[in-house]
């Protein structure tokens, strides 16, 4: 017994995730069965029923048994359409009626893309699958792909193959081996399936040689030309997985043995592909930097920070890691393109956090053990990350807005380190530091661009899409608090109450934000009463965490902390302004409930 001996889908998921774009799918009629599109066998039996009914034969419970009794052989699609003397156009018309959804089908969601088709489309959209080979005539895969914003290169004839862009240049290459149901050149008799054109054989040989293969919904029994391709392939570059309901038939077993395939027992295509896609997404979401590499960067930062003569090396180290982070973000294509869906949001957040984690640790160390000389370096990093995020102008708003999440994480890490060491003056300088507005539309303070709800990516409706945060009123704040509880041991110590430290950071940042208001504005708002009398400011989890909030506010208003904060520049160095700001804070917080 091993960790994965009873879970081959997870084994496959790791391989798909680790070898992005290196797997091809081979899917057959079984994939479309749950869409109420009949298999070839079912079409054969229905044709027997219709022919027999036209001859006046009464309905049978088992038409296959009836056919065997009458003719002493197994029903065969090729023989039946051959006896009818149907041309290719006529055979295409017959298939059209089985595949094309009518009004009733659409109302009852039949003959439309299934969960399996949609899961495959998401895997393609995320870049994990690039090549799909199918024996199906229907267009369910194309429709599902286009719903995800993917325009596939569809090959359904030799003419299309000869005119298509190269395999390596496409985001999705869909090879419909037997043609398309709307094209008269479909292949659907045994004679037609005995051999493929030379161009198809060459392409299939290349796919079998260069890609791993995942088979689902294909019996491996009747498509003789395709069987020949798989049997003659010798390469073992990537694994071969075969997802099957029940036992493989003799023909499929022969291929599986020849290719050393790993057979996965499944219930149906929907659950298989949904399970695969969910596991791959989970791997992406939980992927993080190698802990050893993070620890090395943390220790190196501490060592350089400890000695003034190493400040040049410290600058080089931080700058290098910042550029490395930006390079990783660019390589992942985290731009404004792509349709919205919650899974994609979670995936992007996970990638931003994974790539930003080392720099966030280093930021916390700078804040905790710095002496002020590192402040210019920290502000330069924030500016670099913010400018990089703002460079991309076109695309979906949410994807553009969360591009500055790495800057938010760096600011938060640095701020927590500053709070931990009670470096109030440097904390105030961080929050009040000028930073370029998006689209070069002037200057704003860091707290006005990269803190909670001021940050465009901080929209609470976005962050409610994280698992378990659906009902949170302060989803981003709650998530960051939990995240830095895991990340902050390197600069706050294991015994400290990180939750309290985090809420201290948020409350002080909110009070700094209020410095943009005049004391007259706050007085006028407070005079209106508790129903709507406050000056707005970004507020986090302390809004509902009343006990913790009051402990922190009481601590901040008591000496010597109050005097230290005023001397550092908080509340405009005005004790009266600080008192009014805290009252305003309590007023807005009191209006929020969990």
């Amino acid at each position: 017994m091993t960790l994965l001996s009873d879970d081959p889908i997870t084994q496959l998921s790791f391989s798909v995730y680790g070898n992005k774009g290196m797997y091809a799918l081979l899917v057959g009629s079984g994939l479309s069965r749950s869409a109420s599109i009949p298999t070839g066998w079912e079409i054969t039996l229905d044709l027997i029923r219709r022919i027999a009914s036209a001859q006046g034969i009464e309905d049978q419970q088992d038409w296959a048994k009836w056919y065997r009794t009458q003719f002493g052989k197994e029903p065969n699609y090729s023989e039946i359409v051959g006896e009818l003397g149907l041309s290719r156009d006529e055979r295409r018309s017959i298939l059209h009626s089985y595949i094309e959804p009518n009004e009733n089908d659409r109302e009852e969601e039949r003959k439309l893309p299934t969960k399996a088709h949609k899961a495959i489309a998401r895997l393609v959209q995320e870049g994990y699958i690039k090549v799909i080979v199918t024996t199906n005539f229907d267009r369910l895969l194309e429709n599902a792909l286009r719903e995800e914003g993917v325009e596939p290169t569809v090959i359904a004839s030799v003419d299309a193959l000869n005119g298509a862009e190269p395999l390596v240049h496409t985001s999705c290459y869909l090879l419909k081996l037997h043609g398309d149901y709307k094209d008269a050149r479909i292949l659907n008799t045994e004679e037609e399936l005995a051999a493929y054109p030379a161009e198809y054989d060459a392409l299939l040989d290349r796919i079998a040689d260069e890609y791993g293969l995942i088979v689902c919904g294909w019996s491996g029994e009747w498509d003789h030309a395709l069987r020949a391709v798989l049997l003659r392939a010798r390469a073992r570059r990537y694994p071969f997985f075969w997802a099957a309901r029940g036992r493989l038939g003799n023909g499929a077993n022969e291929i599986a043995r020849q290719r050393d395939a790993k057979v996965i027992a499944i219930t149906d295509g929907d659950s298989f592909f949904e399970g695969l896609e969910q596991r791959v997404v989970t791997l992406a979401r939980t992927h993080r930097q190698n802990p050893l590499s993070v620890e090395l960067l943390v220790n190196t930062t501490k060592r350089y920070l400890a000695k003034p003569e190493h400040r040049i090396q410290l600058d080089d180290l931080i700058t290098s890691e910042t550029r490395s982070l930006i390079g990783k973000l660019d390589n992942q294509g985290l731009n404004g393109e792509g349709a919205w869906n919650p899974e994609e949001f979670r995936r992007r957040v996970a990638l931003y956090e994974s790539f930003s984690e080392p720099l966030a640790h280093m930021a916390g160390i700078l804040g905790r053990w710095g002496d002020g000389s590192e402040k210019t370096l920290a502000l330069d990093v924030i500016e670099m990350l913010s400018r990089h995020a703002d460079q991309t102008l076109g695309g979906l708003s949410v994807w553009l807005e969360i591009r500055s999440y790495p800057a938010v994480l760096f600011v938060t890490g640095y701020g927590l380190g500053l709070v931990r060491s009670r470096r109030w003056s440097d904390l105030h300088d961080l929050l009040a530091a000028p930073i370029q507005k998006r689209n070069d539309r002037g200057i704003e303070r860091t707290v006005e661009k990269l803190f909670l709800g001021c940050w465009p990516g901080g929209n609470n409706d976005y962050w409610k899409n994280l698992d378990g945060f659906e009902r949170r009123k302060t989803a981003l704040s709650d998530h960051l608090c939990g995240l830095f509880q895991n990340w902050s041991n390197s600069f706050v110590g294991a015994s400290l109450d990180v939750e309290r430290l985090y809420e201290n950071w948020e409350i002080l940042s909110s009070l700094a934000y209020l410095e943009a208001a005049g004391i007259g504005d706050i007085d006028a708002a407070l005079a209106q009463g508790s129903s709507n009398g406050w000056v707005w400011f970004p507020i986090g989890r302390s809004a509902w965490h009343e006990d913790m909030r009051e402990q922190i506010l009481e601590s901040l208003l008591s000496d010597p902390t109050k005097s230290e904060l005023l001397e550092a520049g908080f509340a405009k160095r005005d004790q009266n302004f600080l008192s009014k700001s805290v009252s305003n804070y309590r007023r807005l917080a009191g209006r929020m409930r969990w």
Side-chain angles (χ1 to χ4, degrees):
M1 178 70 71
T2 65
L3 180 63
L4 292 174
S5 58
D6 293 324
D7 193 1
I9 297 182
T10 297
Q11 182 184 9
L12 171 60
S13 303
F14 267 87
S15 190
V16 170
Y17 177 73
N19 299 286
K20 195 170 187 178
M22 290 294 100
Y23 272 93
L25 298 184
L26 169 56
V27 295
S29 61
L31 187 71
S32 301
R33 185 64 193 85
S34 59
S36 298
I37 291 180
T39 64
W41 174 252
E42 290 167 332
I43 291 175
T44 300
L45 295 183
D46 194 58
L47 284 175
I48 292 172
R49 177 190 63 81
R50 292 167 64 187
I51 294 169
S53 298
Q55 295 174 336
I57 298 171
E58 63 183 28
D59 195 23
Q60 304 289 316
Q61 288 187 343
D62 187 340
W63 282 105
K65 181 179 179 181
W66 175 87
Y67 189 90
R68 294 187 195 103
T69 301
Q70 293 295 316
F71 303 104
K73 56 184 177 181
E74 288 291 319
N76 183 286
Y77 176 85
S78 297
E79 288 186 9
I80 293 170
V81 295
E83 289 178 8
L84 288 171
L86 300 177
S87 67
R88 284 194 170 189
D89 285 336
E90 289 171 320
R91 297 204 304 268
R92 177 178 59 83
S93 297
I94 289 176
L95 287 176
H96 189 285
S97 65
Y98 288 108
I99 294 172
E100 186 74 21
N102 56 34
E103 186 175 342
N104 289 335
D105 289 327
R106 293 185 183 281
E107 288 180 358
E108 298 180 15
E109 297 185 346
R110 293 193 301 260
K111 300 181 182 179
L112 301 175
T114 66
K115 294 177 180 178
H117 294 99
K118 293 176 181 179
I120 291 171
R122 290 191 294 270
L123 287 168
V124 171
Q125 196 273 334
E126 292 161 4
Y128 294 105
I129 300 294
K130 289 186 65 176
V131 178
I132 304 173
V133 179
T134 181
T135 59
N136 295 340
F137 306 123
D138 62 65
R139 295 185 174 181
L140 298 183
L141 277 169
E142 294 99 305
N143 294 340
L145 288 164
R146 287 171 180 137
E147 287 175 6
E148 289 295 324
V150 177
E151 183 58 41
T153 298
V154 181
I155 308 300
S157 68
V158 173
D159 291 342
L161 174 60
N162 291 333
E165 60 184 324
L167 180 65
V168 296
H169 293 169
T170 64
S171 59
C172 179
Y173 199 89
L174 177 58
L175 175 58
K176 304 184 75 169
L177 279 174
H178 299 174
D180 184 275
Y181 77 97
K182 290 190 175 182
D183 190 324
R185 293 171 291 183
I186 56 175
L187 310 177
N188 62 1
T189 68
E190 195 165 349
E191 181 181 357
E192 291 167 344
L193 298 175
Y196 290 142
E199 295 91 339
Y200 273 17
D201 274 337
L203 175 60
L204 289 168
D205 285 341
R206 180 182 173 190
I207 292 170
D209 177 64
E210 297 179 2
Y211 292 83
L213 196 61
I214 303 169
V215 179
C216 184
W218 182 64
S219 69
E221 300 297 319
W222 309 114
D223 304 303
H224 304 300
L226 183 53
R227 280 174 44 77
V229 169
L230 298 178
L231 288 170
R232 68 175 175 256
R234 299 296 180 186
R236 296 289 187 273
R237 296 175 193 265
Y238 299 98
F240 187 127
F241 291 88
W242 199 315
R245 296 176 59 186
R247 295 183 178 180
L248 294 180
N250 293 334
N253 259 322
E254 182 184 7
I255 297 171
R257 286 194 303 269
Q258 174 73 16
R259 296 297 305 275
D260 193 25
K262 297 177 176 65
V263 180
I264 302 175
I266 65 172
T267 304
D268 52 55
D270 285 350
S271 59
F272 169 66
F273 280 109
E274 278 201 320
L276 173 62
E277 190 250 346
Q278 288 168 4
R279 284 167 171 80
V280 170
V281 168
T282 298
L283 288 172
R285 195 160 61 239
T286 57
H287 175 77
R288 54 161 291 172
Q289 296 290 326
N290 184 330
L292 293 178
S293 66
V294 174
E295 184 178 355
L296 177 62
L297 286 169
V298 164
N299 291 334
T300 304
T301 303
K302 289 178 178 178
R303 187 169 69 253
Y304 287 163
L305 194 59
K307 295 183 178 181
E309 61 266 29
H310 288 161
R311 288 307 168 105
I312 293 176
Q313 291 94 324
L314 177 65
D315 190 298
D316 288 344
L317 179 69
I318 299 291
T319 302
S320 175
E321 183 58 31
T322 304
R323 289 173 176 162
S324 174
L325 166 59
I326 289 172
K328 292 174 183 176
L329 299 176
D330 287 339
N331 289 337
Q332 283 292 324
L334 293 167
N335 50 37
E337 297 177 3
W340 161 261
N341 69 72
E343 281 297 333
E344 175 63 10
F345 178 79
R346 291 190 282 268
R347 185 188 76 88
R348 292 192 183 216
V349 167
L351 287 174
Y352 283 128
E353 290 172 355
S354 171
F355 297 147
S356 303
E357 182 182 357
L359 202 57
H361 281 270
M362 297 162 84
I365 292 164
L366 294 179
R368 171 72 191 280
W369 285 291
D371 58 8
S373 61
E374 86 295 335
K375 186 165 55 181
T376 299
L377 173 60
L379 294 177
D380 285 346
V381 171
I382 295 167
E383 185 72 36
M384 285 175 65
L385 295 175
S386 180
R387 280 186 175 275
H388 173 262
D390 290 347
Q391 284 174 357
T392 300
L393 302 178
L396 195 67
S397 294
V398 58
W399 304 148
L400 297 175
E401 290 166 358
I402 65 171
R403 275 176 55 83
S404 50
Y405 188 38
V408 172
L409 294 172
F410 186 91
V411 169
T412 304
Y414 188 47
L416 289 173
L418 293 171
V419 174
R420 175 69 176 88
S421 60
R422 299 176 65 86
R423 294 173 55 192
W424 306 128
S425 180
D426 291 330
L427 175 64
H428 190 267
D429 288 348
L430 166 67
L431 297 169
I435 191 170
Q436 191 73 43
K437 287 184 177 181
R438 186 172 177 82
N439 299 331
D440 294 327
R441 294 178 179 173
I443 299 295
E444 59 189 336
R445 296 181 296 160
T446 299
V447 72
E448 293 169 335
K449 183 173 184 179
L450 297 172
F451 178 63
L452 293 182
C454 298
W455 172 46
N459 186 323
N460 200 55
D461 288 339
Y462 297 163
W463 294 88
K464 283 183 176 181
N465 288 286
L466 296 183
D467 292 333
F469 285 73
E470 297 84 358
R471 300 174 63 84
R472 302 290 185 97
K473 290 187 176 181
T474 55
L476 173 60
S477 173
D478 296 344
H479 176 67
L480 288 174
C481 182
L483 185 67
F484 278 93
Q485 282 180 312
N486 294 325
W487 282 4
S488 59
N489 283 351
S490 59
F491 59 88
V492 303
S495 61
L496 190 79
D497 184 349
V498 179
E499 184 180 28
R500 183 182 179 113
L501 173 71
Y502 179 81
E503 292 192 29
N504 253 296
W505 147 253
E506 284 198 338
I507 288 173
L508 286 167
S509 299
S510 297
L511 293 175
Y513 178 89
L514 277 168
E515 292 167 15
I519 194 167
D521 297 327
I522 296 177
D523 280 336
L526 293 175
Q528 294 182 42
S530 60
S531 60
N532 58 359
W534 62 79
V535 174
W536 183 88
F537 59 92
I539 190 168
R541 53 191 281 114
S542 66
W544 54 265
H545 202 183
E546 183 177 359
D547 291 343
M548 180 76 77
R549 178 182 76 233
E550 291 306 315
Q551 291 175 31
I552 292 171
L553 289 175
E554 184 177 342
S555 173
L556 296 179
L557 291 174
S558 62
D559 282 326
T561 302
K562 179 175 71 173
S563 297
E564 293 171 354
L565 291 172
L566 291 172
E567 184 179 351
F570 280 91
K572 305 180 182 182
R573 295 187 168 87
D574 183 337
Q575 181 172 324
N576 187 38
F577 190 89
L578 175 61
S579 177
K580 296 293 178 65
S581 295
V582 169
S583 296
N584 186 81
Y585 194 105
R586 284 175 166 142
R587 178 71 62 83
L588 178 56
R591 296 293 300 170
M592 297 183 67
R593 295 291 183 269
W594 179 253

